[in-house]
Each structure stands twice: as structure tokens, then as C-alpha cells.
Amino acid sequence: MLRSIRTTGRRGRRVVLTAAVAMSVLLPALARPTADAAPSAPPTRPELASTEQIMSTVRDLVGFAPRSTGSVGGLRAAEYVADRFRRAGLTDVHYETATAYDWNATGASLEVGGRVIDSFPITHSFIAGADIPSTRTLGPDGATAPVVDIGAGGVGNADVKGKWVLFDLKFRLPLAALIPLMTFFWDPQLTLLDPATLLSANPYITNQASVVKAAQAKGALGVIGVLSDYFDSNRYRNEFYRRSPMTVPGVWVTKKEGALLRQRLQTTPVATMRMTVERKAVTARTVVGFLEGRTKDTVMVQSHHDSQGPGAVEDGTGTAEVIALADYYGAKARQPGYRPREKTLMFTTFDTHFTGYQQHTAFAKKYVVEKRTPYRIVANTTIEHVGKRAVIGKDGSLQTLERTEPRGIFENLNLPLKLALARALVRNDLRSTAVLNGTLPAFLGGIPTDASFALITGIPVVSLIAGPLYMYDDADTLDKVDQAQLRPVATFFADVLDAIERTPSAAIGLGPLLSPDPARALG
């Protein structure tokens, strides 16, 4: 989730902007392949897991689903990752823990004119506050009130006190919006330049928080969200927007159901909603293991193992990639005559991706801000979402294409490492992938990836992310995994990790002037 943007007139920020613009011009000139260039043969790395082995790990993780924070499935996933880390030969395998909150809604329904509307409760709605356990209910008879339809606009001056607010959920981050940050891309089939692809938006950044915040401020009873930019499903499980907790109840309806709802409201402009929500404190478990180097300068290899549904692509694939890399480097460490790497490798899969990033914040404070461990994190690599491209068909259904979902790699590395990253992208044929300059976002609030907490505390990152339409849905099933890209992604990150290993720790990023202050970043 992209964090709120902060602006300042400080001279350092002008330096960042100048550097970002310079890199966006310089790097493509140095590293972009010609139109007829073909990728060279990828490194064999025979010890690295095969496609089927990586896919087998994804299947195991999906078998624990849903892997929500504090659930039985979440605990089983954490235990599974910890066991795989130990089998890979990692040391000091343990959990980093934090308090998070499990959310569960029961008895949710929506009626208009005595007719039940097919709906689904908005995740993390109807809570008492950001860090407050609670049980809340609309009662057996529910709550009945008029409906105010604001469409795709804002609440504005509408009188919504004591009423339901009906709004269209809009996805606000099309791929084209990231063009100013692009410094390089590998796209032999030119899928990234297709106008339909450039204008398609992912489910990360929406108008939900702003609409709900305004509705709550004006005393609305609750909200009804029409999934106007979504396929024909109401199982959209949004993340928890911790900066604007949703204290009112709400439900989602599909675009089709939204049209029927609006027809019925013309004659009966009143709706009845029922919902009971229990929110309780739970323990979040992030799994950590180390392959010790000759120094405590440490490079993170990261993903997240939690999910709200099947979570095959998000983030069964990312977790499987981290495990594959742990197996690979662990096997190398057991070879005769092995000489330890200079830098320690830290392998980790996080929890709390969907509940407010409590563990991410606690981890950054412990390891970076307060330095309560001997490990000095000098770089972060994060892997999220190796999935197939999906689009909305003319009938509103989700259609999966046999090509990879367009993705970005946010980075804020030094120039030689930027070039090494671009070459590795081509060498391993990571199709439909753009490199995005992360230097400026590091000062403006973060990036929409799990590496954001490393980035905003001054750690150089290489963070791969994609935003397929199905990522928050029950539709995130095994058939959505882009199996052809599983091993290339692993070998690409092995290339990147080896390039970072060859780089002096102090030179991995762009230097102190272009690094945020860790203590201020987490506020």
C-alpha cells in the first residue's frame, strides 16, 4: 500500500529529484537492449530448484489457506517456512512477533425492498479503532436507512448523516502513472506499450479510504461499495488501511449487482444491512533465518507468507522463491571447500501484510532504527507475485492470459548495480518488467511493496512487484501462477544477490545524501 506523500522544500529533496531525473535518462542509454537483441543463455545454476520444485512449494502453501494473520493456516504456513529454512541449513531460525488483529464478519447481508442483494462484507470494516479489539453488531434486525448515491465522486456536501453511502470503488494507479519512474524495461513482445495495458489499473491504490474517511466524518451509518473496476466477483478483500480505520459497516457488490441495486433504489431508496464483526488481538509471526557470512553486514531476501484467500500468486509464489533461494545458497554452503560469503544472508517471510503491517514496522524499528541486533542490514531484495496476466472480459468475467502480468522492480542502487540489474533482467528473460527508480519515492512516503519499510529507513532495495486483478480475491488460485517465470525470477535474484555480494556495503546505495533518515521515517 502506497503511504501518504510528504513534501518539503529542503535542498536534499531537490538533490534527490535531480538525481532521479538524471538516472531516468542515463540508464536507458547505457543498458537498454536494441530491438533485435536476444537474451543470452541464462546461467545454469544446477543446484537451484526446478520449476516443478518451486511450484510444489506453492502448492504446499495454498494447502494451508487461508493463511491470515493469527489463523490456524497462518501458523501452519509460518511453521512450514521455518522447517524449510532449517532443512536448507539456515541458522538461528526463529519468529519475529508483533501484535496484530484478526477480523471476522458473520451474518452480513444487504436488502432493498425486501430483496436480498448479493454482497460481501468489506474487510476490516466496522471496527472500534486501529489498535482496539472489539465485537460490534447491527443486531438481528440490522440497520435500515436511506441510501445516498455519490457514484464515482466524493462525499462533498451531500447530507449523509445516519444514511448509507453508495459509491463506486475506483482503482487509481494505472501502469502509465509509473512511466516517470521507469529507467529501463525488458519487454521483447512490447506488451507494456499496449494502450490497454498502460491504462489498466491494479487493486493497490483505490478511493476506498478517502470516501470512507469523508463519510465517517459526516456521520454516515455505513457504506455500500460497487466494484466498478473489478471483474464479476464481490470477494475483493482489501488490506487494512491503518491510517484511516473503518469504524462503520460496509459491503461490496459487483458492478452488475450495483446496477440492479441502483434500479431498485429508484423506487425504494432505503436499504437494510446486517453484520456482526469480531476483532481480536493475535500474534503475528514473521519467519527469519540466516546464512552467516564473514561479517554482520546483512542482505535481506524477503516475501510474505500470509494470505486472505488461496494466495497462490500473492504470495505463495514470493514465499516459494525465498525458500528456493535459501535452499540454493544453503546447498552451496555445504559444498567441500566452501568459503563463507562476506555478507550474511537473511531469509525472511513476513506476516501482517493484510492487517496493517505491524510486523513490518516492528522489524524495521528493531533491526534498523534501534539496532537491537548485531546485524547491519545493507540491502533488501523482495519478491512478490509471479502471476499470469488477467483482464476483464466483455461479459465481466475474469480472463487469464498465457503471459506474465506486467511488473516493476523498484530499486535505489548505485549505477554499476543498476546496470548489473538491467543485464540480469535481460539474461534471465524476465518478460514485461520495468525497472522503477525508487530514490524519490523513498522520501515521499514509500512504494506499494513489502520492501517499503526498508526503503523509507534508508536501505537499498530491489523489489519485484506485480498487481494482477485477482490478487485480493478467491480467484488467486494455482492456475494463475506463471510457472514459466518461476525459475527465471529465482535465477535473476541470485544474480542480483551475487552482484550485491561483490559490492562494498557502503557503496550499494546512492550514498547518505540520497538516503532517508531511519528514525524519522517510521515516525
Side-chain angles (χ1 to χ4, degrees):
M1 183 176 67
L2 192 64
R3 286 139 189 89
S4 61
I5 293 179
R6 300 185 299 271
T7 59
T8 178
R10 289 169 51 195
R11 179 178 177 274
R13 305 299 168 87
R14 294 197 295 270
V15 173
V16 171
L17 180 59
T18 302
V21 172
M23 286 298 98
S24 69
V25 174
L26 180 60
L27 187 58
L30 293 173
R32 184 189 293 121
T34 59
D36 59 352
S40 57
T44 56
R45 297 188 186 268
E47 303 94 338
L48 202 149
S50 66
T51 296
E52 179 51 39
Q53 287 171 323
I54 301 174
M55 190 64 194
S56 177
T57 301
V58 178
R59 293 190 188 97
D60 288 345
L61 290 162
V62 170
F64 305 139
R67 306 182 298 273
S68 54
T69 299
S71 70
V72 172
L75 175 59
R76 291 181 66 193
E79 292 174 338
Y80 174 84
V81 174
D83 179 64
R84 292 294 301 271
F85 281 0
R86 293 186 187 100
R87 286 160 53 189
L90 304 188
T91 60
D92 190 20
V93 176
H94 66 281
Y95 298 139
E96 296 285 347
T97 61
T99 298
Y101 297 89
D102 174 66
W103 179 93
N104 184 51
T106 56
S109 66
L110 180 68
E111 289 184 20
V112 173
R115 295 184 179 183
V116 176
I117 306 295
D118 186 18
S119 62
F120 190 73
I122 296 178
T123 311
H124 307 297
S125 66
F126 207 21
I127 64 174
D131 300 312
I132 305 173
S134 59
T135 298
R136 306 185 69 193
T137 183
L138 292 174
D141 297 327
T144 302
V147 179
V148 177
D149 187 355
I150 64 171
V155 173
N157 295 320
D159 177 14
V160 300
K161 187 174 182 179
K163 302 173 184 177
W164 304 115
V165 174
L166 177 64
F167 75 101
D168 291 329
L169 183 78
K170 304 300 293 183
F171 296 161
R172 288 180 162 176
L173 187 66
L175 184 62
L178 298 176
I179 289 176
L181 296 178
M182 289 186 186
T183 57
F184 177 81
F185 64 88
W186 176 242
D187 188 29
Q189 297 174 324
L190 299 180
T191 56
L192 292 176
L193 300 182
D194 174 64
T197 301
L198 282 173
L199 295 177
S200 63
N202 61 56
Y204 286 129
I205 312 299
T206 75
N207 64 335
Q208 178 185 344
S210 61
V211 169
V212 170
K213 183 177 180 180
Q216 290 180 168
K218 299 195 70 174
L221 183 59
V223 301
I224 303 165
V226 179
L227 296 166
S228 57
D229 287 347
Y230 208 46
F231 58 98
D232 194 18
S233 169
N234 59 22
R235 263 56 178 174
Y236 174 78
R237 293 185 173 90
N238 50 276
E239 297 180 22
F240 173 55
Y241 303 120
R242 63 194 186 282
R243 289 183 175 146
S244 52
M246 186 171 169
T247 57
V248 297
V251 295
W252 297 122
V253 298
T254 65
K255 185 176 182 179
K256 290 180 181 178
E257 285 293 312
L260 293 174
L261 171 62
R262 283 177 163 128
Q263 286 181 358
R264 292 175 183 172
L265 288 173
Q266 290 178 6
T267 56
T268 310
V270 174
T272 299
M273 187 184 298
R274 294 176 178 85
M275 183 183 297
T276 297
V277 165
E278 181 182 12
R279 190 176 193 243
K280 60 183 180 180
V282 295
T283 299
R285 293 175 177 85
T286 288
V287 192
V288 178
F290 297 89
L291 183 63
E292 295 285 349
R294 300 192 300 276
T295 72
K296 295 297 185 181
D297 285 2
T298 302
V299 180
M300 292 179 66
V301 185
Q302 174 184 336
S303 190
H304 68 90
H305 60 255
D306 56 333
S307 73
Q308 299 189 95
V313 172
E314 192 196 23
D315 217 328
T317 55
T319 296
E321 297 282 9
V322 170
I323 290 172
L325 289 163
D327 284 339
Y328 172 66
Y329 285 104
K332 288 175 72 70
R334 294 190 295 272
Q335 292 175 352
Y338 171 76
R339 185 171 184 268
R341 299 165 70 90
E342 177 188 356
K343 300 177 181 66
T344 293
L345 289 175
M346 172 197 287
F347 297 88
T348 180
T349 64
F350 275 73
D351 204 345
T352 70
H353 178 93
F354 301 98
T355 64
Y357 297 93
Q358 294 92 344
Q359 182 55 67
H360 298 69
T361 302
F363 185 96
K365 287 182 178 178
K366 176 178 178 178
Y367 281 85
V368 183
V369 177
E370 299 172 0
K371 296 181 172 63
R372 289 189 277 124
T373 81
Y375 298 99
R376 175 176 172 260
I377 299 175
V378 298
N380 171 288
T381 60
T382 295
I383 311 169
E384 298 179 85
H385 316 157
V386 186
K388 293 178 181 177
R389 172 74 169 154
V391 296
I392 301 174
K394 292 182 179 179
D395 62 352
S397 65
L398 182 72
Q399 297 184 359
T400 306
L401 309 180
E402 290 304 313
R403 67 172 191 254
T404 199
E405 177 72 24
R407 55 201 170 188
I409 298 176
F410 286 93
E411 59 78 28
N412 59 334
L413 304 174
N414 68 25
L415 182 56
L417 282 175
K418 290 179 189 291
L419 297 175
L421 185 150
R423 294 186 184 110
L425 196 66
V426 176
R427 180 167 57 251
N428 293 285
D429 198 16
L430 264 62
R431 301 294 181 95
S432 301
T433 305
V435 178
L436 304 169
N437 193 303
T439 303
L440 190 58
F443 287 90
L444 298 182
I447 54 177
T449 89
D450 269 30
S452 189
F453 293 85
L455 180 74
I456 65 174
T457 52
I459 307 300
V461 306
V462 178
S463 181
L464 181 144
I465 191 77
L469 274 171
Y470 49 78
M471 59 184 287
Y472 290 152
D473 203 278
D474 289 347
D476 183 8
T477 47
L478 289 166
D479 60 297
K480 307 300 191 302
V481 175
D482 187 2
Q483 296 191 41
Q485 284 287 294
L486 288 175
R487 199 169 190 280
V489 167
T491 55
F492 165 80
F493 273 92
D495 285 355
V496 170
L497 289 169
D498 289 351
I500 291 173
E501 166 67 9
R502 295 188 296 267
T503 304
S505 296
I508 294 171
L510 293 172
L513 278 178
L514 300 180
S515 294
D517 176 60
R520 294 186 61 190
L522 296 178

